[in-house]
Amino acid sequence: MKKIGIIGSGKIVSWFLKDLKVLNRTDWKVTGLYARNKVTANETIQKFGIDKFYESYDEFLKQDFDLVYIGTPDATHLQFSKDLLNNGLNVYCEKPITFTKKDAEEIYALAKQKNKLFFDGIKTGFSPAYKKMKEEIAKGVIGDLILVHTTHTKVSTSLKKPNPGPELDIQGFQMGGGVYSAFVALDLGGKVIGYDHRSNPYPNNKAISTSAILTRHESGVISTIVGSDYTTDNLTAVIQGSKGYITLGGNLDKYNESYKKDSCHMAHTIEIRDLKNDLISKFDDPFISEGEGLRFTTEHVLNLINEGKTESDIVTPELSIAVIDLLEKTNNIR
């Protein structure tokens, strides 16, 4: 049985553990957890039956975990990733893995040097609907790609618009949810050769509240990436081709209920239409997940390690770095 270590004890770690339970992988077991908050760490240990809570980070690093999952605040990801890789451990790190392209390149170079897996936890490309969409595009159903429009827009479940104060050190839309919408554009459009960015800051904080990026790709595709904490939409991405178009949709009922899904997080549906707007086909997969779709990325990572692979073919190092590069260039904070 292979062993999993976890760093963190917050909400996203709980999602990871819930979806690991959904997977029912008897060949893997969570044997250790390190977190700075002892209260939430002990609660997590007891709730999910984890073998041991490590109060010492140095002791945690010495364990022979087959995989370590990092589910901590964004600013901590870089150092944790370096430490784990330097200790010969495979790493599954939540997004964003870093705040700069230089740091992202450094992490992947270190993983290659150590011959270990480093996985960037962008889950968008793993839903059955997203995979089905890519299969249909590859078949040429909508012809040559022309335009990709993708969004990550929301208001909080309390319906209160966020208004962070100047004293709060937050990274803004692009370094958080923007990872998901940028992934769709870059995964489908390919290499970026130019972009134009417009954004508005929060009233009391220079972090991004609303952002729009018009991106030109080497493939000839144009993509628009929109995100906002001040608006909401119908959770649909649109992929336009020379013969028709595809809408990639989230689960609006789930979103309204508890903000669990949207098209950039984990799509549930696709609709394919021709240029006359007639429906060609439809795919709907209301999958079961207790952790916002983390079951798909988690299973992917576990299988990669079982197969002795050190790179993902869905969130490749090149795509991961390209996402960080675009977000770094369009981040108001830095």
Side-chain angles (χ1 to χ4, degrees), residues 19-27:
D19 259 8
L20 185 62
K21 187 176 181 180
V22 168
L23 289 175
N24 192 29
R25 291 293 295 256
T26 57
D27 54 334

Side-chain angles (χ1 to χ4, degrees), residues 111-122:
K112 187 171 184 178
Q113 176 191 341
K114 298 293 183 179
N115 195 32
K116 293 297 175 181
L117 172 70
F118 180 80
F119 177 78
D120 181 354
I122 305 175

Side-chain angles (χ1 to χ4, degrees), residues 102-117:
K102 179 182 178 182
D103 288 338
E105 289 175 332
E106 183 180 346
I107 289 178
Y108 281 107
L110 179 60
K112 187 171 184 178
Q113 176 191 341
K114 298 293 183 179
N115 195 32
K116 293 297 175 181
L117 172 70

